[in-house]
Amino acid sequence: SRFGFVLPCLDVVASLASLPLSTVTLHTSSTVVPVATDLVSSALVLLVEDNEANVQTFSSYLEAKKYRVAIAKDGLSAVDQAKALIPDIILMDIQLPKLDGIGAIQQIRAQPALATTPIIALTALAMKGDREKCLAAGANDYLSKPVKLQLLAQTIQRLLAAV
């Protein structure tokens, strides 16, 4: 069994105020908190997902694996956050509001600083040709939902090792 709970992060924010801060940010359940670089040594994952249950599942798992996680809940925010944060890897849902994942991947790939950033398409689209459509847009890999978390971790590690 795994149990989780959320504590207010006001004390955490106050204690971090005295530390030297970088431009790196971490997502908590209610806010994005600046984090001192010497406290963080793992890869930054940009998780692009509009389903709150999936956000909680993926972010909790990734944080347990010692990844830093930033969240975008639509395609336009994904492009903006990717440009601002330059993540080490992007997990991209395809069915998103405002701009779908295919369009977001294409816009991200158009940015020189993000041209080689690994992108994993995570989607419920599992019909014939969907994988090819995602890869043609610029995704490095494709996993259909429901995603096995161990397979996700292995795919992330494989893509990060190849960079």
Side-chain angles (χ1 to χ4, degrees):
S1 297
R2 180 175 179 181
F3 301 91
F5 54 93
V6 178
L7 298 174
C9 64
L10 298 176
D11 293 334
V12 173
V13 173
S15 66
L16 289 175
S18 64
L19 297 172
L21 298 178
S22 71
T23 58
V24 175
T25 58
L26 291 183
H27 178 271
T28 67
S29 62
S30 60
T31 188
V32 174
V33 180
V35 176
T37 51
D38 57 348
L39 298 178
V40 178
S41 60
S42 62
L44 176 60
V45 177
L46 175 56
L47 173 61
V48 185
E49 175 63 64
D50 63 327
N51 179 291
E52 191 58 39
N54 289 340
V55 169
Q56 290 299 320
T57 300
F58 290 135
S59 63
S60 295
Y61 181 76
L62 293 168
E63 289 167 356
K65 291 286 191 180
K66 305 299 183 206
Y67 291 106
R68 298 174 290 140
V69 180
I71 309 291
K73 295 195 176 184
D74 64 70
L76 292 176
S77 296
V79 174
D80 291 342
Q81 285 198 44
K83 287 185 210 176
L85 299 174
I86 312 295
D88 297 297
I89 192 163
I90 300 170
L91 307 181
M92 180 72 68
D93 185 19
I94 300 302
Q95 296 175 308
L96 294 167
K98 298 185 183 178
L99 176 67
D100 70 7
I102 298 292
I105 290 170
Q106 291 169 336
Q107 287 189 27
I108 288 168
R109 286 291 183 233
Q111 302 298 313
L114 299 166
T116 60
T117 300
I119 300 174
I120 301 172
L122 300 176
T123 181
L125 297 175
M127 301 298 288
K128 184 175 181 175
D130 288 334
R131 176 183 177 84
E132 292 75 18
K133 185 177 177 182
C134 293
L135 297 176
N140 297 82
D141 211 328
Y142 167 97
L143 298 174
S144 62
K145 294 178 185 175
V147 175
K148 292 182 180 173
L149 295 176
Q150 186 175 12
L151 177 60
L152 175 62
Q154 291 169 348
T155 305
I156 291 171
Q157 290 171 358
R158 178 177 48 81
L159 290 173
L160 288 176
V163 175

